[in-house]
Amino acid sequence: MPSGTAAGPATLIPFAPDAPTLERALAILAQDGSVSPADAVRRREALALFAALPAPGARPRRGWRHDYDKLTFDDLVWTTGRRRQPAVGPSVTDPDDEPDLPALATENAGGLFHLGATLLEPDVPSAADSRVVVLPLGDASRPHPELVARTLYEIADWRADRFSALATAFENCGAFVYVPDGVVVDAPIQLVWANTAARNEAVFPHVLVVLGEGARATVIERHVGDGDPFICGVVEVHAGERAQLDYVTVQQAGEGARVFFRRTARCARDAEVRWNLAELGGALARTVLDTQLGAVGGRAETAALFFTTGFAHVDLTTGTEHVVGPTTSNTAVRSAANDRGQGRYVGNIVIRPHAHGSDATLRDDALLLSAHAHIDAVPALEIASNDVKAFHGATVGSLDEDALFYVSSRGIARSEALRMITLGFFEPVITRFPGEALRDEIRTALDAKIDAATETA
Amino acid sequence: MSARGLVTRDLRVAVQGNEILKGIDLTVEPGQVHALMGPNGSGKSTLAFTIAGHPGYDVTSGSVTLDGEELLGLAPDKRARAGVFLSFQYPAAIPGVSVANFLRSARQAVRSGDLSPAKFRQLVFEKLDTLDMDPAFLGRYVNDGFSGGEKKRLEMLQMAIIAPKYAILDETDSGLDVDALQAVGHAATSLRESEDGRNMGFLVITHYPRILRYLPADVVHVMIDGSIAKTGGPDLAERIEREGYDVIREEVATARA
Ligand SMILES: Nc1ncnc2c1ncn2[C@@H]1O[C@H](COP(=O)(O)OP(=O)(O)OP(=O)(O)O)[C@@H](O)[C@H]1O
Ligand SMILES: [Mg+2]
């Protein structure tokens, strides 16, 4: 195999989650000089763990289409994301219905853009604000050796579940976002992964976000395109004292895509992390959002929504751990399923013995739009401290016929009424996303999904 | 050509197999106000829902026409576009949908975008003022967390903005304080004085004559047990207020005997 220059074509290998494939991957990474002996050891260990660990979560109920033991990896290719590719020429995604990557890059002035695992180089700086560091994760250790050594895998436990292990074994792209002490950035930092139907990749991103004391930023992670990739990633967030981070994920991967992520954050004293998650694409999406409130005044806000249509399946777990008190968490999840869409939401809140004065609120509401749709909600509160406030509420229901009639009686056609009420159902979570542009984008995406659903109905 | 007006002929309606309306004949002509009174459970809301097209009510015979057009068989939204408006006794909440959006959608649906956004805005603020409503309501979700009186005011705001041909007010006056009743009354009178509402017909379902001070009834009907037991002039409403429904029941029984 020719080793190629930094801009040369990358080597593609068929992907399988096995040792021979990992050895080939390690050889390719070695040619780029981007794998240390320690990395190689960790990757091999992680792969062994992937094979050994049980599938996550409770055993699927009958009829569930997300049996993780039966995942297949046919026709996927793996490539190192270390070879870059200029983002010029034809749009990497269908311009008619998907955001155009270079356009995204200029409009939002900053971020990292990938096609599959490969980093694109649009003609804009990765960070609009020169005080902010946005680098491919593989390039981060050289300029920031101590910071990376101190934070990498410090929070994201790659042993936590088999998909974190798999992501660690085959990691082939990623981002390092560092906002130094006191720096407040307004423009969102975008991390985009696009996949085209031209090739189905196995993409393993690793995102590391570090906010210094009092730093504030918004990171938007996006998955777009009409390809059917297997994306399996790890995100870890360190929020320093008094830091505030909005971490947004807009998952609009192709219809056949499978998207697995574990995102973990830790809040230092008085730090606040706001997770905003919109799962709108893919055939199977599994997400874990974990927040550790390990210092006084820490705050975790989680706003998540998903809408499964067709045969799609979404599996979402949020976990908030109040280690000390007072700390605060507020979790709101809204989900809807149409056609034969399925979903599961597991909401865990743990309040440890020393978390006195903590306040935890969890609320999830699910809307079933067809007789064959199904959503399970599994909230779990574990409270080991008294003098805390914990609230949890959950509903699963179908469309309110009285509301439908009421809207129709104002001249609005039933299909429009249905759209209005369904969009309205998501609104309390949408309003928690940062920025009107982003909120409108989510509304538009949901609207398109309702359209598609009513067309097939 | 059938008569102008909102007309029911021998309307029979069943709910889950039980006949609730037993042959209702009503004609509300353009510009007229008809009051419909009657004890609880007599079928007044059933009539209102049936005219508006609620899917839970089975029409077993008869017809409902609006200026000659048959409404039965039309979906509720089509009936609204034909010109019927129902002010609900218990309006539903639409969480996540702002009043402003809802009003715009409703006006657009019924009158297919006849107003520019600026004109529409002006209309909304005018009507808010008539109803003595805080413009902050525009940003709230439709009926979500509204008090009973606020819900009724919002019904009237919608009526004023849609300016339908015929409005059915199902106990819009119930549960209102004096000020709210006055605001609702003003909304109706100012609509009737406006270009849009000059020929509006009203079917006012009520238990009290007080709303008829603002909407003077041309005709008063009393519904008992799914039939119109008596029809008369404005004095009939006052009489019921004084004497109750038993007197009417007795009269009907004697007349039949
Ligand atoms: N969906 C339904 N299912 C069963 N019964 C119904 C239904 N709707 C109406 N009814 C019955 O029909 C009868 C008439 O009810 P309706 O609501 O029309 O009365 P109303 O005259 O409006 O009374 P009120 O003055 O209390 O508002 C009642 O006996 C009621 O229980
Ligand atoms: Mg009633």
Side-chain angles (χ1 to χ4, degrees):
Chain A
M1 292 276 154
S3 69
T5 63
T11 312
L12 294 172
I13 57 171
F15 175 75
D18 58 24
T21 307
L22 180 57
E23 293 312 317
R24 292 181 72 185
L26 285 170
I28 292 165
L29 291 166
Q31 285 170 3
D32 286 340
S34 58
V35 62
S36 70
D39 287 338
V41 169
R42 179 170 57 224
R43 285 171 182 264
R44 290 189 184 103
E45 254 182 69
L47 181 63
L49 209 58
F50 168 74
L53 285 175
R59 279 217 70 76
R61 38 177 261 135
R62 268 164 73 96
W64 238 205
R65 284 186 300 272
H66 76 280
D67 191 340
Y68 297 117
D69 290 326
K70 294 192 180 130
L71 279 181
T72 55
F73 301 93
D74 303 334
D75 304 321
L76 288 169
V77 293
W78 183 96
T79 182
T80 164
R82 305 284 295 150
R83 282 339 131 69
R84 298 176 187 202
Q85 189 172 297
V88 290
S91 161
V92 294
T93 55
D94 182 350
D96 289 335
D97 57 27
E98 293 292 353
D100 181 287
L101 271 194
L104 268 178
T106 41
E107 271 166 30
N108 297 285
L112 296 179
F113 302 86
H114 307 80
L115 178 57
T118 304
L119 190 70
L120 301 176
E121 292 192 312
D123 205 11
V124 290
S126 57
D129 188 314
S130 60
R131 297 167 300 172
V132 174
V133 177
V134 180
L135 287 172
L137 186 57
D139 293 352
S141 323
R142 208 157 302 150
H144 305 279
E146 278 166 42
L147 190 57
V148 173
R150 185 153 51 78
T151 52
L152 192 70
Y153 285 115
E154 222 282 299
I155 296 175
D157 181 4
W158 52 270
R159 301 172 189 82
D161 68 65
R162 65 189 312 220
F163 295 112
S164 301
L166 186 65
T168 300
F170 288 96
E171 180 185 317
N172 56 356
C173 52
F176 174 65
V177 175
Y178 172 49
V179 186
D181 290 356
V183 172
V184 175
V185 262
D186 292 324
I189 298 155
Q190 300 226 50
L191 309 174
V192 180
W193 277 269
N195 279 276
T196 64
R199 108 184 161 202
N200 291 331
E201 277 195 43
V203 185
F204 298 97
H206 185 164
V207 175
L208 174 60
V209 179
V210 181
L211 262 65
E213 285 180 21
R216 284 190 204 178
T218 299
V219 173
I220 305 181
E221 176 199 323
R222 292 175 183 279
H223 300 276
V224 295
D226 55 2
D228 295 338
F230 175 78
I231 307 174
C232 183
V234 170
V235 174
E236 45 188 328
V237 169
H238 297 250
E241 284 189 15
R242 287 172 287 106
Q244 289 185 21
L245 175 71
D246 262 296
Y247 192 99
V248 181
T249 302
V250 183
Q251 192 270 102
Q252 289 178 287
E255 270 178 34
R258 292 165 296 166
V259 186
F260 291 67
F261 267 91
R262 182 178 204 97
R263 303 188 180 87
T264 312
R266 184 182 295 160
C267 290
R269 195 181 175 97
D270 295 325
E272 177 168 348
V273 170
R274 295 184 285 261
W275 297 112
N276 303 278
L277 171 70
E279 299 272 15
L280 301 167
L284 172 58
R286 176 186 150 79
T287 295
V288 179
L289 292 177
D290 263 335
T291 315
Q292 297 166 21
L293 298 171
V296 171
R299 191 177 176 92
E301 296 271 337
T302 303
L305 62 90
F306 65 81
F307 190 2
T308 56
T309 55
F311 285 86
H313 190 110
V314 174
D315 189 1
L316 170 65
T317 301
T318 62
T320 310
E321 186 181 358
H322 294 255
V323 182
V324 300
T327 48
T328 310
S329 70
N330 186 309
T331 307
V333 178
R334 294 250 160 171
S335 58
N338 206 345
D339 311 326
R340 290 176 180 276
Q342 299 182 332
R344 176 169 65 173
Y345 170 60
V346 181
N348 297 315
I349 290 180
V350 178
I351 303 185
R352 299 284 180 215
H354 297 294
H356 302 294
S358 288
D359 188 336
T361 301
L362 184 151
R363 156 113 237 154
D364 76 275
D365 298 277
L367 179 62
L368 301 176
L369 294 167
S370 91
H372 299 289
H374 191 94
I375 294 175
D376 275 342
V378 193
L381 269 68
E382 185 188 322
I383 302 171
S385 171
N386 39 28
D387 78 31
V388 298
K389 273 196 263 175
F391 167 83
H392 135 251
T395 64
V396 180
S398 49
L399 267 188
D400 179 357
E401 280 298 329
D402 288 341
L404 261 176
F405 175 65
Y406 183 76
V407 175
S408 315
S409 79
R410 293 334 183 208
I412 296 160
R414 191 179 160 92
S415 58
E416 250 344 276
L418 194 140
R419 167 203 308 283
M420 187 183 265
I421 295 168
T422 305
L423 280 175
F425 167 78
F426 284 109
E427 198 57 28
V429 164
I430 296 173
T431 51
R432 289 172 56 159
F433 279 59
E436 195 53 27
L438 185 64
R439 291 192 285 268
D440 270 340
E441 191 193 318
I442 306 279
R443 289 182 189 113
T444 306
L446 284 167
D447 207 44
K449 291 202 73 142
I450 296 170
D451 257 347
T454 42
E455 271 161 26
T456 56
Chain B
M1 257 318 267
S2 331
R4 301 245 300 149
L6 180 61
V7 181
T8 70
R9 283 284 165 265
D10 186 36
L11 186 65
R12 290 172 185 275
V13 173
V15 176
Q16 290 160 359
N18 295 326
E19 184 164 71
I20 311 267
L21 296 185
K22 300 162 184 169
I24 303 292
D25 291 288
L26 267 184
T27 303
V28 180
E29 288 175 21
Q32 276 192 334
V33 175
H34 286 227
L36 178 61
M37 305 182 75
N40 294 137
S42 56
K44 305 179 298 296
S45 293
T46 302
L47 177 64
F49 276 137
T50 303
I51 295 172
H54 194 292
Y57 297 83
D58 303 324
V59 176
T60 51
S61 81
S63 73
V64 179
T65 55
L66 188 148
D67 295 345
E69 185 188 353
E70 179 61 63
L71 295 184
L72 297 180
L74 294 184
D77 57 297
K78 295 241 169 68
R79 298 185 193 205
R81 275 177 268 153
V84 190
F85 177 88
L86 171 60
S87 169
F88 284 63
Q89 187 175 357
Y90 304 108
I94 319 291
V97 176
S98 73
V99 167
N101 258 335
F102 191 63
L103 291 175
R104 195 177 316 116
S105 302
R107 171 86 189 193
Q108 226 154 38
V110 175
R111 305 192 150 234
S112 44
D114 58 338
L115 291 183
S116 69
K119 281 258 156 60
F120 176 75
R121 216 182 127 76
Q122 193 189 332
L123 176 72
V124 169
F125 277 85
E126 242 168 59
K127 301 299 181 183
L128 278 169
D129 194 49
T130 317
L131 277 157
D132 202 14
M133 284 175 85
D134 187 335
F137 273 106
L138 295 174
R140 288 183 60 182
Y141 297 155
V142 176
N143 289 323
D144 197 24
F146 280 36
S147 78
E150 289 167 347
K151 285 182 186 170
K152 297 302 176 72
R153 282 189 208 225
L154 180 57
E155 294 297 281
M156 288 300 94
L157 180 62
Q158 293 175 53
M159 179 183 77
I161 278 164
I162 292 172
K165 291 188 181 132
Y166 299 93
I168 304 168
L169 273 45
D170 191 355
E171 296 200 27
T172 301
D173 55 335
S174 290
L176 295 188
D177 65 34
V178 193
D179 293 344
L181 183 72
Q182 197 175 43
V184 162
H186 280 161
T189 26
S190 82
L191 186 57
R192 293 184 84 200
E193 283 160 7
S194 76
E195 183 64 26
D196 270 352
R198 213 159 18 97
N199 277 317
M200 259 181 82
F202 286 84
L203 180 61
V204 181
I205 299 173
T206 183
H207 290 294
Y208 313 102
R210 53 180 200 171
I211 192 176
L212 305 178
R213 289 205 287 273
Y214 300 94
L215 278 167
D218 299 292
V219 186
V220 176
H221 309 274
V222 180
M223 184 184 279
I224 291 177
D225 199 15
S227 303
I228 302 289
K230 196 170 176 71
T231 295
D235 50 311
L236 182 55
E238 303 293 342
R239 228 192 101 197
I240 288 167
E241 169 104 319
R242 281 194 315 272
E243 301 171 6
Y245 291 112
D246 279 348
V247 183
I248 310 276
R249 280 198 188 93
E250 277 161 32
E251 269 180 35
V252 173
T254 340
R256 280 205 190 122

